[in-house]
Amino acid sequence: MSDLNKLRNIGIMAHIDAGKTTVTERVLFYTGRTYKIGETHDGTAVMDYMEDEQSRGITITSAATKCSWDGYDMNLIDTPGHVDFTAEVERALRVLDGAVAVFDASEGVQAQSETVWRQGQKYNVPCLCFINKMDKIGADFEMSIKSIKEKLDANPVAMQIPIGAENNFNGVIDLMEMKAYYYTPTKVGADVEVKDIPEELKETAEQWRHNMVESIAECDEQLMEKYLMEEEISNDELKKAVREETINCRMHPVYFGSALKDKGVRKLLDGVIEYLPSPLETPAITGLNPKDEEETYRVECDPKKPLVALAFKITHDKHGDLYFVRVYQGTLKSGTRVMNSTRDKRENITRIFEMHADDRKIRDEVRAGDIFACVGLKETLTGDTLCDTNAPILLDTINFPEPVISMSIEPKNSSDRAKLGDALGSLRREDPTFQTQYDPETGQTIISGMGELHLDILKTRITRDMNVDVTVGQPKVAYKECITKNVQQQGKFVRQSGGRGQYGDVIITMEPILEEDGNVSNDITFESKIVGGAVPREFWNSVEKGCREALTSGILAGYPVVGVHIELIDGSFHSVDSSEMAFEQAGAMAVKEALSKAGPKLLEPIMKLQVVVPDSAFGPVQSNLISKRGMVTDSRLSGQMRILDAKAPLSELFGYTSELRSATQGRGSFSMEPLNYEKVPDNIAQEILSD
C-alpha cells in the first residue's frame, strides 16, 4: 500500500488466558484473512502454529500477519502472555506503533497485564483496552476499568458500555453514536444488529456518555471551554481529541466484548483504525553515527530516504534462519546488499516475505513503515540495525531480562555432541533470553532461561525438532553475589622475564549500589578519579575491563557480582613496561582481593506472584506461602475466589503448581514474574553454599 496513513502496525498483548489469540483469530476472520475461525482450545488457532502451542493451548512465540479492515492495512503481531516468554513481547513492542491490551472481565488487571503494560510504556506504544470475556461468570466492566486506572496508573476512557453481563451479555452501546449493537451467534461468527438504546439503559448510557465527554474535554482547552459553556461538541471533535491523546499515550480508549462468542471485535477494529497511529504519526526516532556515537540522525518514515531498519526476531526452520525486520526509513528490494551497522558487516537480503503465521508470500520490495521477514542474512542478531551501505546509522538495540533458572544438558550419545552444539547455537540466535555456558569443573553444558516452562519447551525442541537425544539435570536457580561494605584495595601486576616486562599498579575503591527500595542494584559502574596522571588515561579502559571481568565470578560460589560502584583513585606506571594487558590484570587482582573484604553476600531471584484460589482455601494457601519464605502483599475477593498478590524466592517455588492444586482440589492457579534480587538469609545461604 502506498498510502502510509492507511497502515497500522499493532500488537495484541495480555496476561495469559485473557484471550489474546482468540481476539486475533476473530480479527483474521472478520478481515477476510481466514475463511474459518481457529480456536486455541482445540489447537486450530492459525497464529499458534507451533506444535507445542497447539498441544499446550498457549502462545509461545509471537506470530505476525497482515490483514485489511475498512480500506486500511494492518501488520498484526499476536504476543505470548506467559512470563517465561516475555522477550517475545519486548521485541514486538519495540517495533510496533500501537497495541491492544486484552483484559479478562472477571479479573481486571492481572500480574502479567502489569508487565506487558510496562513494556508498552517503555517504548511509548499507544494502547487501546479490550475488556474480554464479558460473558464469563463474575464479569464486571466497572471493576475492570477501575483496575486499569489504579493498577496501571493509566487513563482509561470507555468508548462503549456493555449490554448485560455473564450469560446475559448481548452487545454494546456505542457512546459516540449512542446506538446499541446487538450480536446474534451464527454457525460462523455472529450477526450484528444496530438499534436504538433500550429505555431501561438510556439513563446509564447518558451518564457514561457524559463521563466520556468530560474526560476528553479535560485534555483539550478548546473542548473544555465548550464543555463549560455547555455548547454542543461534535463527535468529530471528540474523535479528533481522543486520537491525539491516544497517540500521545495520555488516554486509553476502552472497548468490551467476548471474542469467543464473536461479540465486540469488529467495533474494536474500528477503534484501531480510528485512534491508533499510522507510521507517519509516530514520533520520529533518532539514530547514531556508528563511528562517532555522539552524532545523531533523525530517522523519518520516508520511503525515498536511505534505508534504516531493525531486525527484531529470528526463527529457525528447515529452510534456514528467517529474520523479522521493521523498516523505519527508505525502501528495500529483494536481492539488496545492506550494512549491519551494529556489527560492521555487509549482508545480503536474498528474498523478502509477507508473513501470515508460518505461511510466506514473496514480496519484491518493502517500504518505510512496513514489517516483513527475509532470508539471506548471516551475521545479524536480534536488535541489530540494517541500513544503506552508503549511509550507516545505528539504532537503539533491544534489552532483554536476564535468565533466572538453569539446568545441565548433555547428549545421550557422544556422537550427538556436535549436533547438540549446533542446536543450542540455533536456539540462542532465536531467543535472546536463552543462554548457554560450559562448566569446566563438571564438564557439563549449562543452559539458562526464564522459567521451568521455558526450559522444558527448549528441551522438547532439541529432542523433537532437532533430533538430538539429551539428558537434563534438575532446574537450578541463577543466584548472584553482592558486597555490603566499602573497601579500598591495591592491585599490582609485575612480571619480569628478561627483555620488556609487564607493570600495572592501581588503587581502587568499591562500594555497594542500592536501589531506592533498599535492594541491591543490578548495575556495575566504573569511574576514574585519577588526577595528575598517576595512571595514564589510555589505560583507564583496560583497568575497567579487568574489574568487570573479575566481577563475572564472585568468591562465594562463582556467581556474578552485581550492585558495585568502582572508582580508580590512584596507582603508578612504568614508562617502558606498562601495557593495557598489565593494567587489565592489575584491575582484576584489585577486585578479587577487595571482594573478600567487602562482606560478600548471596542474592536470590524473588518472584512476584498472583495466586487465585477459592476463598475457603485462603488460610492454608497463605500459610504455605509463608512457609516458602513468601510474603502476601495484598488480598482481595473476586466473586467466590480470593486473589493474593505475593512475593517469594524462586528456589522455593519449584513444584508449586502441584502443591497449589492439591490444596485447592484443582481449583487454584497462579502466575509469576521476576521481581528483583534480594539477599539470602545467612542460614539459607550456608545450605546453598554447602551443596
Side-chain angles (χ1 to χ4, degrees), residues 562-576:
V562 296
V564 179
H565 175 66
I566 300 174
E567 289 185 359
L568 174 61
I569 60 171
D570 204 355
S572 63
F573 74 102
H574 190 281
S575 58
V576 176

mmCIF file with all atom_site columns, all heavy atoms in Angstrom, residues 562-576:
data_model
loop_
_atom_site.group_PDB
_atom_site.id
_atom_site.type_symbol
_atom_site.label_atom_id
_atom_site.label_alt_id
_atom_site.label_comp_id
_atom_site.label_asym_id
_atom_site.label_entity_id
_atom_site.label_seq_id
_atom_site.pdbx_PDB_ins_code
_atom_site.Cartn_x
_atom_site.Cartn_y
_atom_site.Cartn_z
_atom_site.occupancy
_atom_site.B_iso_or_equiv
_atom_site.pdbx_formal_charge
_atom_site.auth_seq_id
_atom_site.auth_comp_id
_atom_site.auth_asym_id
_atom_site.auth_atom_id
_atom_site.pdbx_PDB_model_num
ATOM 1   N N   . VAL A 1 562 ? 26.977 -8.226 41.382 1.00 0.00 ? 562 VAL A N   1
ATOM 2   C CA  . VAL A 1 562 ? 26.254 -7.051 40.881 1.00 0.00 ? 562 VAL A CA  1
ATOM 3   C C   . VAL A 1 562 ? 26.163 -6.003 41.988 1.00 0.00 ? 562 VAL A C   1
ATOM 4   O O   . VAL A 1 562 ? 26.499 -6.257 43.144 1.00 0.00 ? 562 VAL A O   1
ATOM 5   C CB  . VAL A 1 562 ? 24.835 -7.425 40.393 1.00 0.00 ? 562 VAL A CB  1
ATOM 6   C CG1 . VAL A 1 562 ? 24.888 -8.354 39.210 1.00 0.00 ? 562 VAL A CG1 1
ATOM 7   C CG2 . VAL A 1 562 ? 24.022 -8.044 41.519 1.00 0.00 ? 562 VAL A CG2 1
ATOM 8   N N   . GLY A 1 563 ? 25.683 -4.823 41.606 1.00 0.00 ? 563 GLY A N   1
ATOM 9   C CA  . GLY A 1 563 ? 25.484 -3.753 42.587 1.00 0.00 ? 563 GLY A CA  1
ATOM 10  C C   . GLY A 1 563 ? 26.795 -3.211 43.121 1.00 0.00 ? 563 GLY A C   1
ATOM 11  O O   . GLY A 1 563 ? 26.948 -3.025 44.329 1.00 0.00 ? 563 GLY A O   1
ATOM 12  N N   . VAL A 1 564 ? 27.758 -2.943 42.228 1.00 0.00 ? 564 VAL A N   1
ATOM 13  C CA  . VAL A 1 564 ? 29.079 -2.485 42.655 1.00 0.00 ? 564 VAL A CA  1
ATOM 14  C C   . VAL A 1 564 ? 29.459 -1.210 41.902 1.00 0.00 ? 564 VAL A C   1
ATOM 15  O O   . VAL A 1 564 ? 29.325 -1.144 40.676 1.00 0.00 ? 564 VAL A O   1
ATOM 16  C CB  . VAL A 1 564 ? 30.157 -3.561 42.395 1.00 0.00 ? 564 VAL A CB  1
ATOM 17  C CG1 . VAL A 1 564 ? 31.530 -3.067 42.824 1.00 0.00 ? 564 VAL A CG1 1
ATOM 18  C CG2 . VAL A 1 564 ? 29.815 -4.851 43.114 1.00 0.00 ? 564 VAL A CG2 1
ATOM 19  N N   . HIS A 1 565 ? 29.913 -0.203 42.665 1.00 0.00 ? 565 HIS A N   1
ATOM 20  C CA  . HIS A 1 565 ? 30.488 1.001  42.050 1.00 0.00 ? 565 HIS A CA  1
ATOM 21  C C   . HIS A 1 565 ? 31.981 1.003  42.342 1.00 0.00 ? 565 HIS A C   1
ATOM 22  O O   . HIS A 1 565 ? 32.414 0.915  43.501 1.00 0.00 ? 565 HIS A O   1
ATOM 23  C CB  . HIS A 1 565 ? 29.850 2.268  42.624 1.00 0.00 ? 565 HIS A CB  1
ATOM 24  C CG  . HIS A 1 565 ? 30.488 3.529  42.112 1.00 0.00 ? 565 HIS A CG  1
ATOM 25  N ND1 . HIS A 1 565 ? 30.409 3.901  40.780 1.00 0.00 ? 565 HIS A ND1 1
ATOM 26  C CD2 . HIS A 1 565 ? 31.239 4.485  42.739 1.00 0.00 ? 565 HIS A CD2 1
ATOM 27  C CE1 . HIS A 1 565 ? 31.063 5.037  40.610 1.00 0.00 ? 565 HIS A CE1 1
ATOM 28  N NE2 . HIS A 1 565 ? 31.574 5.419  41.784 1.00 0.00 ? 565 HIS A NE2 1
ATOM 29  N N   . ILE A 1 566 ? 32.783 1.082  41.297 1.00 0.00 ? 566 ILE A N   1
ATOM 30  C CA  . ILE A 1 566 ? 34.242 1.061  41.431 1.00 0.00 ? 566 ILE A CA  1
ATOM 31  C C   . ILE A 1 566 ? 34.801 2.408  41.015 1.00 0.00 ? 566 ILE A C   1
ATOM 32  O O   . ILE A 1 566 ? 34.395 2.974  39.995 1.00 0.00 ? 566 ILE A O   1
ATOM 33  C CB  . ILE A 1 566 ? 34.857 -0.047 40.547 1.00 0.00 ? 566 ILE A CB  1
ATOM 34  C CG1 . ILE A 1 566 ? 34.319 -1.418 40.954 1.00 0.00 ? 566 ILE A CG1 1
ATOM 35  C CG2 . ILE A 1 566 ? 36.381 -0.016 40.618 1.00 0.00 ? 566 ILE A CG2 1
ATOM 36  C CD1 . ILE A 1 566 ? 34.769 -2.549 40.041 1.00 0.00 ? 566 ILE A CD1 1
ATOM 37  N N   . GLU A 1 567 ? 35.734 2.916  41.826 1.00 0.00 ? 567 GLU A N   1
ATOM 38  C CA  . GLU A 1 567 ? 36.445 4.146  41.467 1.00 0.00 ? 567 GLU A CA  1
ATOM 39  C C   . GLU A 1 567 ? 37.944 3.864  41.427 1.00 0.00 ? 567 GLU A C   1
ATOM 40  O O   . GLU A 1 567 ? 38.491 3.258  42.361 1.00 0.00 ? 567 GLU A O   1
ATOM 41  C CB  . GLU A 1 567 ? 36.143 5.260  42.472 1.00 0.00 ? 567 GLU A CB  1
ATOM 42  C CG  . GLU A 1 567 ? 34.725 5.799  42.376 1.00 0.00 ? 567 GLU A CG  1
ATOM 43  C CD  . GLU A 1 567 ? 34.480 6.995  43.292 1.00 0.00 ? 567 GLU A CD  1
ATOM 44  O OE1 . GLU A 1 567 ? 35.429 7.386  44.024 1.00 0.00 ? 567 GLU A OE1 1
ATOM 45  O OE2 . GLU A 1 567 ? 33.346 7.527  43.284 1.00 0.00 ? 567 GLU A OE2 1
ATOM 46  N N   . LEU A 1 568 ? 38.561 4.276  40.355 1.00 0.00 ? 568 LEU A N   1
ATOM 47  C CA  . LEU A 1 568 ? 40.019 4.210  40.230 1.00 0.00 ? 568 LEU A CA  1
ATOM 48  C C   . LEU A 1 568 ? 40.576 5.500  40.822 1.00 0.00 ? 568 LEU A C   1
ATOM 49  O O   . LEU A 1 568 ? 40.332 6.584  40.273 1.00 0.00 ? 568 LEU A O   1
ATOM 50  C CB  . LEU A 1 568 ? 40.407 4.064  38.756 1.00 0.00 ? 568 LEU A CB  1
ATOM 51  C CG  . LEU A 1 568 ? 41.906 4.130  38.422 1.00 0.00 ? 568 LEU A CG  1
ATOM 52  C CD1 . LEU A 1 568 ? 42.669 3.008  39.109 1.00 0.00 ? 568 LEU A CD1 1
ATOM 53  C CD2 . LEU A 1 568 ? 42.112 4.070  36.909 1.00 0.00 ? 568 LEU A CD2 1
ATOM 54  N N   . ILE A 1 569 ? 41.294 5.410  41.956 1.00 0.00 ? 569 ILE A N   1
ATOM 55  C CA  . ILE A 1 569 ? 41.700 6.638  42.660 1.00 0.00 ? 569 ILE A CA  1
ATOM 56  C C   . ILE A 1 569 ? 43.201 6.916  42.587 1.00 0.00 ? 569 ILE A C   1
ATOM 57  O O   . ILE A 1 569 ? 43.631 8.058  42.770 1.00 0.00 ? 569 ILE A O   1
ATOM 58  C CB  . ILE A 1 569 ? 41.241 6.614  44.134 1.00 0.00 ? 569 ILE A CB  1
ATOM 59  C CG1 . ILE A 1 569 ? 41.860 5.419  44.875 1.00 0.00 ? 569 ILE A CG1 1
ATOM 60  C CG2 . ILE A 1 569 ? 39.715 6.580  44.228 1.00 0.00 ? 569 ILE A CG2 1
ATOM 61  C CD1 . ILE A 1 569 ? 41.625 5.457  46.383 1.00 0.00 ? 569 ILE A CD1 1
ATOM 62  N N   . ASP A 1 570 ? 44.008 5.874  42.344 1.00 0.00 ? 570 ASP A N   1
ATOM 63  C CA  . ASP A 1 570 ? 45.458 6.109  42.329 1.00 0.00 ? 570 ASP A CA  1
ATOM 64  C C   . ASP A 1 570 ? 46.142 4.914  41.677 1.00 0.00 ? 570 ASP A C   1
ATOM 65  O O   . ASP A 1 570 ? 45.503 3.937  41.311 1.00 0.00 ? 570 ASP A O   1
ATOM 66  C CB  . ASP A 1 570 ? 45.969 6.320  43.764 1.00 0.00 ? 570 ASP A CB  1
ATOM 67  C CG  . ASP A 1 570 ? 47.284 7.124  43.793 1.00 0.00 ? 570 ASP A CG  1
ATOM 68  O OD1 . ASP A 1 570 ? 47.815 7.416  42.709 1.00 0.00 ? 570 ASP A OD1 1
ATOM 69  O OD2 . ASP A 1 570 ? 47.751 7.433  44.899 1.00 0.00 ? 570 ASP A OD2 1
ATOM 70  N N   . GLY A 1 571 ? 47.467 5.003  41.595 1.00 0.00 ? 571 GLY A N   1
ATOM 71  C CA  . GLY A 1 571 ? 48.238 3.923  41.014 1.00 0.00 ? 571 GLY A CA  1
ATOM 72  C C   . GLY A 1 571 ? 49.579 4.431  40.548 1.00 0.00 ? 571 GLY A C   1
ATOM 73  O O   . GLY A 1 571 ? 49.996 5.551  40.883 1.00 0.00 ? 571 GLY A O   1
ATOM 74  N N   . SER A 1 572 ? 50.275 3.630  39.774 1.00 0.00 ? 572 SER A N   1
ATOM 75  C CA  . SER A 1 572 ? 51.552 4.059  39.205 1.00 0.00 ? 572 SER A CA  1
ATOM 76  C C   . SER A 1 572 ? 51.795 3.292  37.913 1.00 0.00 ? 572 SER A C   1
ATOM 77  O O   . SER A 1 572 ? 51.150 2.271  37.664 1.00 0.00 ? 572 SER A O   1
ATOM 78  C CB  . SER A 1 572 ? 52.692 3.814  40.201 1.00 0.00 ? 572 SER A CB  1
ATOM 79  O OG  . SER A 1 572 ? 52.823 2.436  40.473 1.00 0.00 ? 572 SER A OG  1
ATOM 80  N N   . PHE A 1 573 ? 52.719 3.787  37.117 1.00 0.00 ? 573 PHE A N   1
ATOM 81  C CA  . PHE A 1 573 ? 53.007 3.119  35.841 1.00 0.00 ? 573 PHE A CA  1
ATOM 82  C C   . PHE A 1 573 ? 54.498 3.185  35.550 1.00 0.00 ? 573 PHE A C   1
ATOM 83  O O   . PHE A 1 573 ? 55.253 3.955  36.170 1.00 0.00 ? 573 PHE A O   1
ATOM 84  C CB  . PHE A 1 573 ? 52.207 3.760  34.704 1.00 0.00 ? 573 PHE A CB  1
ATOM 85  C CG  . PHE A 1 573 ? 52.714 5.112  34.272 1.00 0.00 ? 573 PHE A CG  1
ATOM 86  C CD1 . PHE A 1 573 ? 53.475 5.259  33.112 1.00 0.00 ? 573 PHE A CD1 1
ATOM 87  C CD2 . PHE A 1 573 ? 52.448 6.252  35.030 1.00 0.00 ? 573 PHE A CD2 1
ATOM 88  C CE1 . PHE A 1 573 ? 53.955 6.495  32.724 1.00 0.00 ? 573 PHE A CE1 1
ATOM 89  C CE2 . PHE A 1 573 ? 52.906 7.493  34.642 1.00 0.00 ? 573 PHE A CE2 1
ATOM 90  C CZ  . PHE A 1 573 ? 53.670 7.618  33.480 1.00 0.00 ? 573 PHE A CZ  1
ATOM 91  N N   . HIS A 1 574 ? 54.918 2.376  34.616 1.00 0.00 ? 574 HIS A N   1
ATOM 92  C CA  . HIS A 1 574 ? 56.309 2.336  34.179 1.00 0.00 ? 574 HIS A CA  1
ATOM 93  C C   . HIS A 1 574 ? 56.345 2.773  32.721 1.00 0.00 ? 574 HIS A C   1
ATOM 94  O O   . HIS A 1 574 ? 55.556 2.300  31.907 1.00 0.00 ? 574 HIS A O   1
ATOM 95  C CB  . HIS A 1 574 ? 56.863 0.905  34.330 1.00 0.00 ? 574 HIS A CB  1
ATOM 96  C CG  . HIS A 1 574 ? 58.332 0.809  34.124 1.00 0.00 ? 574 HIS A CG  1
ATOM 97  N ND1 . HIS A 1 574 ? 58.924 0.797  32.877 1.00 0.00 ? 574 HIS A ND1 1
ATOM 98  C CD2 . HIS A 1 574 ? 59.356 0.721  35.031 1.00 0.00 ? 574 HIS A CD2 1
ATOM 99  C CE1 . HIS A 1 574 ? 60.231 0.697  33.009 1.00 0.00 ? 574 HIS A CE1 1
ATOM 100 N NE2 . HIS A 1 574 ? 60.518 0.649  34.307 1.00 0.00 ? 574 HIS A NE2 1
ATOM 101 N N   . SER A 1 575 ? 57.242 3.688  32.417 1.00 0.00 ? 575 SER A N   1
ATOM 102 C CA  . SER A 1 575 ? 57.245 4.277  31.072 1.00 0.00 ? 575 SER A CA  1
ATOM 103 C C   . SER A 1 575 ? 57.524 3.255  29.982 1.00 0.00 ? 575 SER A C   1
ATOM 104 O O   . SER A 1 575 ? 57.145 3.453  28.827 1.00 0.00 ? 575 SER A O   1
ATOM 105 C CB  . SER A 1 575 ? 58.301 5.403  30.994 1.00 0.00 ? 575 SER A CB  1
ATOM 106 O OG  . SER A 1 575 ? 59.585 4.875  31.316 1.00 0.00 ? 575 SER A OG  1
ATOM 107 N N   . VAL A 1 576 ? 58.182 2.153  30.309 1.00 0.00 ? 576 VAL A N   1
ATOM 108 C CA  . VAL A 1 576 ? 58.502 1.136  29.302 1.00 0.00 ? 576 VAL A CA  1
ATOM 109 C C   . VAL A 1 576 ? 57.623 -0.109 29.471 1.00 0.00 ? 576 VAL A C   1
ATOM 110 O O   . VAL A 1 576 ? 57.058 -0.628 28.504 1.00 0.00 ? 576 VAL A O   1
ATOM 111 C CB  . VAL A 1 576 ? 59.992 0.733  29.376 1.00 0.00 ? 576 VAL A CB  1
ATOM 112 C CG1 . VAL A 1 576 ? 60.292 -0.404 28.399 1.00 0.00 ? 576 VAL A CG1 1
ATOM 113 C CG2 . VAL A 1 576 ? 60.879 1.931  29.091 1.00 0.00 ? 576 VAL A CG2 1
#
